[in-house]
Structure formats: C-alpha cells, structure tokens
Amino acid sequence: FVPNLFPRACERGPRSRHQKSIMVTDPVGDMLTRIRNALLAKKESVNVPYSKLKLEIARFLQKKGFIEDIKKRGKKTKKSIKLVLWSKKNGPKISYLKQISKPSRRVYAGYARLKPYREGRGVYIISTPIGIIDEKEAKKQKVGGEIFGAVY
C-alpha cells in the first residue's frame, strides 16, 4: 500500500480558504463563454468573477434587453456578478453570442468600418474611450474601438 503523496486541491472542504484559483487569460472571453454555456444548459442565471469591465458589459447587455437583471455579490477579493439571463415567464432573449476579439487576434474597427450586425437584429459589443457601446452609437459619436463580441 502506497499512501497518496499528492493531496487533492480543496481536500479540506468546499468553503476552505485553501481553494485553488483558476487563472484566466481572457476575462471577457471567459464571461461570454459562461453566458453561452449557461444558456445552452438552460440555466436562468450565471455567476461571473467581478471586474469593472465585465460589469460594464453586463450593464450594456441589460440596457439592450438581453439580460434581465444584474446583482453584485461578495466583498473585496471574493466579488462576483450574478447575471439573470431570463425568467420563466419570458424565456431566453439571447439566441447567439460570439466572441470576436481574442488574445491571439485583437479586432479593432474605426467608426466608418462598422456595419449593422445581422441586418440590425443584433449588436456588436465595442469597447471605446467613451465606454462600452454598440455600432450605432459608435457611428453617431464618431468613435471606434475593440470589438469584443456580437449578440442577437
């Protein structure tokens, strides 16, 4: 008999302070993937680790009507964002969510190059110096930026 020389992570319990954290190289891509996976699994809500950028993207999606509600949870380093994607009464409002700009290939566009997404049925998520906006607002403000993703 050989004892286990390498104890597993989180062996002390799920609420232990010795939990192993997962390093994410693309936080926005991780957020969009969590939303997409929750929709495919027919979950009503999803938790996303907190950052100011993720909160702004969530507010943008809520303003456009793709997310029902946003709740900030936790304190200090344990902060997270709870996104209520849909309610039983209304059903999901996101039918397609795609990440465009990635760490290996950043995608930038000037306001003149931006076209309506899916003939105006969807929106691009664009990070600009004035904040997170869609392509219509970017054209109106005459500002370009990084295209994080697209949703409809």
Side-chain angles (χ1 to χ4, degrees):
F1 173 74
V2 179
N4 188 356
L5 300 176
F6 304 105
R8 291 187 284 176
C10 303
E11 195 172 66
R12 295 184 181 140
R15 298 203 182 262
S16 171
R17 64 187 170 111
H18 301 286
Q19 287 181 331
K20 190 175 183 180
S21 63
I22 299 172
M23 186 171 163
V24 179
T25 58
D26 184 19
V28 175
D30 177 62
M31 176 186 177
L32 297 178
T33 300
R34 285 177 189 236
I35 293 171
R36 192 179 322 110
N37 288 343
L39 288 167
L40 290 172
K42 295 182 174 39
K43 300 281 186 184
E44 288 184 24
S45 64
V46 63
N47 286 321
V48 178
Y50 175 84
S51 78
K52 289 179 184 178
L53 179 60
K54 291 178 192 176
L55 185 62
E56 285 303 310
I57 292 172
R59 286 182 179 150
F60 169 79
L61 291 173
Q62 184 181 28
K63 185 176 87 174
K64 293 295 176 183
F66 292 111
I67 290 178
E68 292 280 327
D69 194 23
I70 301 166
K71 297 175 186 165
K72 283 191 343 186
R73 308 172 101 190
K75 294 180 181 175
K76 295 190 180 183
T77 59
K78 304 279 186 188
K79 284 189 197 176
S80 68
I81 305 167
K82 182 177 182 180
L83 305 174
V84 179
L85 303 173
W86 54 282
S87 62
K88 290 181 180 177
K89 185 172 66 172
N90 297 336
K93 296 179 181 178
I94 298 174
S95 58
Y96 183 79
L97 182 63
K98 180 182 179 185
Q99 181 183 1
I100 295 175
S101 188
K102 300 174 184 176
S104 61
R105 182 174 180 260
R106 298 287 181 193
V107 179
Y108 298 94
Y111 72 91
R113 243 186 70 204
L114 294 170
K115 305 285 186 239
Y117 185 67
R118 297 273 176 155
E119 289 85 36
R121 289 180 284 156
V123 294
Y124 285 113
I125 303 168
I126 303 170
S127 173
T128 66
I130 59 173
I132 303 291
I133 58 175
D134 65 343
E135 71 278 359
K136 291 175 191 168
E137 186 68 24
K139 278 188 172 276
K140 193 161 109 178
Q141 298 284 335
K142 293 192 175 184
V143 65
E146 183 178 357
I147 303 174
F148 283 142
V151 61
Y152 75 88

